[in-house]
Amino acid sequence: MSSEIIFAQAIVDGLLMGSLYALIAIGLAMIWGIVEIINFAHGEFLMIASFLSYFLFIYLGIDPLISIPLAFLTTFGLGYLVQKGIINRILEAPFLTQIFATFALLLIIRNGFFVAFGPDIRSVTTWYSEATIDLYGIKMSIVKLFATTIVIIATILLHLFLTRTYLGTAMRALSQDKTAAQLMGIDIKKVYAIAFGLGAGLAGIGGALLTSFYYVFPEMGVPFTLIAFISVVLGGFGNILGPAIGAVIIGVLQSIGALIMTPSMKDILVYIVFLAILLIKPTGIFSR
Amino acid sequence: MFKIENIKRDIDLMIILLTILLLLIMPLVYNNYFFLNALFLASLYMISSTAWNIMGGFTGLISFGHAAFFGIGAYTLALSYNNGLSPWIGIWLGGAIASLFALIISFPLLRLRGHWFALATIAVGEALKLFFNNWDYVGAARGVELARKEYSFAWIYFIESIYYNYVAVLILVISIFIMFLIIRGRIGYYLQSIRESEETTMTIGLNPFKYKMIAMVLSGFFTGVAGALYAIRYRYIDPFSVMDLFISVQICLIAIVGGVYSFAGPLLGALIVTPIAEYTRALIGGAYGARFFGLHLLIYGVILLILSLYAPGGLMDVLKRFLRGRYR
Amino acid sequence: MKTILKVENVTKRFGGVIALNNVSVDVYEKEFLGIIGPNGSGKTTLFNVITGFIKPDKGRIIYMDKDITGMPPYKIARLGVARTFQIMKPLENLSVYDNVLIYALPRSKDVDEARDKTEKVLSLLDLWSRRDVLAKDLNAVEKRRLELARAIVGDPKLLLLDEVLAGHSPAEIDKTLAILKKIHESGVTIMMIEHVMRAIMKISERVIVLNYGNVIAEGPPEKISKDPKVIEAYLGEGFKKYLETNKT
């Protein structure tokens, strides 16, 4: 294979993976931007959905792609309840308390799954798991193409929701100006709960998509949470496009990085890039 | 400050003295390897969580990267020990190098606020761990084993583990009292002022950046000392045992559970949390297999969630409510 | 009279809005200067420029013959300039006592001396009985007093007060004014922004009036209260015409 092909292959892989990252990052950005909470447990919602679609496949033979709506509804519901039962009660608390509430959630969900299902790494093999399409020598995994398509559909639906519906408009108003939104008669706590639900639900869709080509285990959310944070810091959380673009850039960089670096160097670089972005990008620096 | 009637009225000082008394007496009462080990770890976490609290509780700089300081302290001790330096110097050298690292990273990190500062500390901690994991001079992933010396007080090398407990208590007493005097002096008040409002703090004529830097350097120093103690006791370290995110989490969890708005909160937290953690980890984990390794973290999570909903001031808050009227 | 503070031709824009337009003010040593003006006239911006919280686009601030333009707030504070905030910023989760103590510390040789100063100021401001209450649990008037206590405990030479009387009842106003008088008599130069006209006219030796970022009048209180430009600024063109037609 020529080096151009290898390089092109890396970019295509990065774009496909980056689109999945985008979905997860948009979810995190929604919660961060609207509820003004850092959701450390974001990757845990992804993991829950992944486990759900894994078990549906193993016990009921339901294809992971079919179980996406169910994964979304489950994580949406959980997110809604988390906001209603926990976060809404500490909205006025110091940010230390808020950070620790979502951190507690991370510990409970991740280690709850650890205790319940053990540290085993599970995976699913479907008829399309290994299938690829060959395009001018570049191989594209069918399942990742599926995933990208679903991500695009979900993002468009979310965009329509945020711009065309009353609830979506309320959310955008809330992220701009809390007081004004209250004056408009918006029930803040309910909108928060739905926003957290949607954010978690997006991570859930990501988790269900991962089931068919990735591994399912209690700590699987860690790298995805990290990447989501980097994407949001890179792209900002004022709109959908920012974190999405951030995520795609990270996906491509990661994929190219894997070509030219050892895995351990690549991991260090991820953190260095994260720090550099944090320090350079002024929007991250003066909020709060 | 240390008059009898003042001590009686000062709940923090009371807890400090009672904790030290407990750490001195308990090893004699119940000389069991497992119990001694839990007490030793509790002493370590008392130092490092109190140090974390100088930043997290008093200054409002939430760090999830304290494992970096802890690890640097541990590595400094291990390497200097193997090169023939007395561990009695090495322990404080560990603190010094950790505080130097704190000073260096404070310049970029202190430009960040709130959430962003917390996220950046995670990145610093994890990046440093991975860096050590690939750095041959410090043994990379193989870690460092402390060289064998003759069993002696001078080399802090003992057959019976109870002696390690008393070394830890000695270092603890020194560290806690230095931190106590600093926090009760003017610097402690300035740090709290910064936590509440940097803008207001500037109107007093103070440079918030300078004091936040002092907080980081102090916090880094004593966390490094705790890391050095870890290395001298377990005599083998690698990046995943002294620099993992889990260490950072444990350090700040103990502070939060104990109570971040009081000086003695972390002592209380360590006294209660460490034994619970060690027992669930060893007893249940040992008996039922690897999956229960996560159990103590699950318990932490539940405790943390309950506290953040009902007592954001931690166990100290609960205690103060219980004792209301007798203490200020 | 010696000037302690000179504001020279200061201009500050926020986007398209001119908050201060070529403003010059001289403040004399040990005087009590009142600053009035309608909402949005630039009063608080003037304070922010003097104390270093905002950098002016043009102009200079001279304090005790020293150019302090663009200095960070903490350095200006060290020179003896203290202020209160219109939107109060107490250290919410600390007690009243600690709030004041923190301000006393930088100018005390040790914590004990700071405690003495704190106790004196708390008694002066009638807050001693509330010393153990957390700042966030104080009522509005007490919070204003706390702001004042923190501002004076560091023995400032120049004290900038931004609406310390807001939320006071008439009886409370008299009490706070008496305290301010005492502070002033101890030799502190005071600049005070205030909306309660009766109070500012009673206590100030000199008053300046700001409107849309311009100084439109300056002089002793009795003169200011009769100045047609001031009446216009406060009550609008229509009211002035009404006054004039009624006069004739």
Side-chain angles (χ1 to χ4, degrees), chain C residues 4 7 11 24 26 34 46 67 72 117 136 152 155 167 178-179 197:
Chain C
I4 183 166
V7 176
T11 297
S24 295
D26 281 3
L46 179 64
D67 190 342
K117 286 184 187 170
K136 66 179 170 196
I152 63 171
D155 301 322
I179 295 167
M197 219 42 76

Side-chain angles (χ1 to χ4, degrees), chain B residues 65-103:
Chain B
H66 263 51
F69 305 138
F70 192 89
I72 288 174
Y75 270 97
T76 306
L77 180 116
L79 296 172
S80 66
Y81 191 88
N82 289 355
N83 283 304
L85 186 74
S86 159
W88 292 105
I89 299 169
I91 287 171
W92 304 108
L93 186 66
I97 304 284
S99 68
L100 186 68
F101 180 71
L103 181 71

Side-chain angles (χ1 to χ4, degrees), chain A residues 96 115 264 278-279 284-285 287, chain B residues 62 111 115-116 134 256 291:
Chain A
L96 185 73
V115 170
S264 54
L278 265 175
L279 295 170
I285 291 171
S287 37
Chain B
I62 309 300
R111 291 169 54 206
H115 291 161
W116 282 268
N134 289 285
I256 299 285
R291 74 165 50 165

Side-chain angles (χ1 to χ4, degrees), chain B:
Chain B
M1 193 187 288
F2 295 112
K3 284 184 208 138
I4 295 293
E5 63 267 32
N6 285 353
I7 294 172
K8 272 199 199 149
R9 280 180 60 81
D10 189 333
I11 188 166
D12 286 322
L13 204 51
M14 284 288 273
I15 290 177
I16 293 173
L17 295 177
L18 286 175
T19 306
I20 292 169
L21 208 63
L22 208 65
L23 289 173
L24 284 174
I25 294 170
M26 286 314 281
L28 299 172
V29 177
Y30 189 47
N31 189 342
N32 154 292
Y33 175 81
F34 191 78
F35 182 73
L36 290 179
N37 188 43
L39 276 188
F40 180 85
L41 284 173
S43 321
L44 282 196
Y45 282 121
M46 279 175 197
I47 301 173
S48 47
S49 297
T50 303
W52 183 91
N53 200 30
I54 291 179
M55 268 173 75
F58 285 97
T59 322
L61 295 167
I62 309 300
S63 158
F64 287 118
H66 263 51
F69 305 138
F70 192 89
I72 288 174
Y75 270 97
T76 306
L77 180 116
L79 296 172
S80 66
Y81 191 88
N82 289 355
N83 283 304
L85 186 74
S86 159
W88 292 105
I89 299 169
I91 287 171
W92 304 108
L93 186 66
I97 304 284
S99 68
L100 186 68
F101 180 71
L103 181 71
I104 294 166
I105 60 168
S106 74
F107 285 96
L109 288 197
L110 286 178
R111 291 169 54 206
L112 305 168
R113 302 256 171 113
H115 291 161
W116 282 268
F117 181 85
L119 289 175
T121 56
I122 299 181
V124 167
E126 288 294 281
L128 196 75
K129 175 182 78 183
L130 293 171
F131 179 68
F132 269 61
N133 206 38
N134 289 285
W135 188 16
D136 275 325
Y137 177 72
V138 299
R142 298 181 307 280
V144 182
E145 197 175 345
L146 265 65
R148 294 203 171 211
K149 309 276 182 186
E150 64 272 26
Y151 288 113
S152 65
F153 192 67
W155 286 108
I156 314 187
Y157 190 26
F158 307 114
I159 298 171
E160 279 190 64
S161 60
I162 189 166
Y163 295 110
Y164 289 112
N165 283 63
Y166 286 107
V167 170
V169 174
L170 178 67
I171 305 293
L172 173 96
V173 169
I174 298 170
S175 305
I176 293 291
F177 272 93
I178 294 173
M179 287 191 269
F180 186 74
L181 288 178
I182 291 170
I183 286 299
R184 283 298 168 88
R186 64 176 77 210
I187 289 177
Y189 284 104
Y190 295 162
L191 298 183
Q192 292 179 67
S193 174
I194 288 166
R195 177 190 74 209
E196 295 298 316
S197 163
E198 284 193 28
E199 218 171 358
T200 306
T201 308
M202 283 195 275
T203 64
I204 326 177
L206 301 173
N207 179 357
F209 180 82
K210 178 179 142 194
Y211 286 96
K212 286 195 283 187
M213 205 154 83
I214 291 176
M216 279 187 78
V217 167
L218 278 173
S219 189
F221 184 88
F222 289 104
T223 309
V225 167
L229 272 175
Y230 179 96
I232 200 74
R233 165 75 177 83
Y234 297 103
R235 306 190 73 80
Y236 169 76
I237 53 169
D238 65 18
F240 283 83
S241 65
V242 293
M243 278 188 175
D244 197 62
L245 184 60
F246 172 75
I247 306 259
S248 304
V249 169
Q250 182 105 340
I251 288 173
C252 65
L253 266 181
I254 283 170
I256 299 285
V257 168
V260 290
Y261 296 119
S262 345
F263 183 86
L267 299 186
L268 209 58
L271 214 52
I272 287 160
V273 169
T274 329
I276 293 179
E278 288 309 301
Y279 273 90
T280 38
R281 189 153 68 174
L283 295 182
I284 302 175
Y288 300 95
R291 74 165 50 165
F292 284 99
F293 191 71
L295 188 64
H296 70 289
L297 290 175
L298 179 62
I299 295 172
Y300 277 9
V302 173
I303 294 175
L304 198 56
L305 191 61
I306 293 171
L307 284 176
S308 52
L309 285 176
Y310 300 104
L315 295 174
M316 277 301 275
D317 216 20
V318 180
L319 189 68
K320 275 183 185 161
R321 265 184 238 170
F322 182 69
L323 297 171
R324 190 190 306 251
R326 290 179 54 190
Y327 291 94
R328 227 173 17 128

Side-chain angles (χ1 to χ4, degrees), chain C residues 25-43:
Chain C
V25 178
D26 281 3
V27 183
Y28 303 106
E29 225 164 61
K30 300 195 174 155
E31 79 165 328
F32 200 121
L33 176 65
I35 298 170
I36 61 172
N39 284 328
S41 59
K43 304 182 300 287

Side-chain angles (χ1 to χ4, degrees), chain A:
Chain A
M1 240 191 295
S2 72
S3 62
E4 287 85 19
I5 296 278
I6 295 175
F7 195 67
Q9 177 76 53
I11 289 182
V12 168
D13 285 346
L15 284 173
L16 292 177
M17 210 53 202
S19 66
L20 190 66
Y21 293 159
L23 192 67
I24 302 161
I26 292 169
L28 184 73
M30 277 193 79
I31 298 171
W32 198 341
I34 295 170
V35 192
E36 290 179 25
I37 285 275
I38 282 211
N39 181 21
F40 277 113
H42 200 59
E44 273 50 51
F45 288 98
L46 174 148
M47 182 268 292
I48 291 174
S50 207
F51 263 92
L52 180 76
S53 65
Y54 171 81
F55 285 125
L56 285 175
F57 179 79
I58 295 295
Y59 293 117
L60 300 175
I62 299 174
D63 190 284
L65 295 181
I66 308 290
S67 63
I68 287 173
L70 195 62
F72 172 76
L73 285 177
T74 309
T75 43
F76 175 87
L78 284 173
Y80 185 90
L81 291 178
V82 161
Q83 179 68 33
K84 215 173 144 76
I86 300 169
I87 314 288
N88 271 345
R89 299 173 59 175
I90 51 171
L91 286 177
E92 302 301 324
F95 113 96
L96 185 73
T97 310
Q98 297 177 343
I99 272 199
F100 277 98
T102 70
F103 196 73
L105 214 58
L106 174 152
L107 288 175
I108 292 171
I109 298 174
R110 190 187 295 171
N111 295 292
F113 271 69
F114 204 89
V115 170
F117 304 113
D120 312 338
I121 291 172
R122 300 167 160 87
S123 67
V124 157
T125 313
T126 56
W127 60 270
Y128 51 77
S129 284
E130 302 291 327
T132 55
I133 295 176
D134 201 308
L135 199 72
Y136 303 111
I138 299 166
K139 286 201 182 100
M140 283 189 280
S141 137
I142 287 189
V143 62
K144 285 187 185 169
L145 275 177
F146 270 156
T148 304
T149 314
I150 289 166
V151 167
I152 292 170
I153 293 171
T155 311
I156 291 172
L157 286 177
L158 181 68
H159 177 75
L160 291 177
F161 167 77
L162 286 175
T163 50
R164 300 286 163 83
T165 66
Y166 171 76
L167 203 57
T169 313
M171 274 179 199
R172 287 189 296 133
L174 210 52
S175 73
Q176 296 296 320
D177 187 337
K178 208 185 277 188
T179 322
Q182 267 168 320
L183 291 175
M184 281 162 62
I186 293 173
D187 177 354
I188 283 200
K189 293 196 167 180
K190 193 175 156 198
V191 177
Y192 276 173
I194 294 168
F196 201 112
L198 276 176
L202 291 176
I205 296 177
L209 285 171
L210 278 169
T211 310
S212 49
F213 64 92
Y214 195 73
Y215 305 102
V216 181
F217 57 103
E219 290 181 311
M220 67 183 288
V222 178
F224 295 100
T225 308
L226 178 71
I227 286 165
F229 273 119
I230 300 177
S231 310
V232 175
V233 169
L234 184 60
F237 42 65
N239 54 46
I240 296 184
L241 213 56
I245 291 173
V248 172
I249 291 174
I250 299 290
V252 173
L253 283 181
Q254 209 187 25
S255 172
I256 294 173
L259 278 185
I260 52 178
M261 279 180 283
T262 63
S264 54
M265 256 175 81
K266 196 187 87 185
D267 287 344
I268 297 178
L269 199 72
V270 169
Y271 289 108
I272 305 271
V273 168
F274 184 35
L275 276 174
I277 295 167
L278 265 175
L279 295 170
I280 294 163
K281 190 156 172 293
T283 44
I285 291 171
F286 284 116
S287 37
R288 270 211 182 216

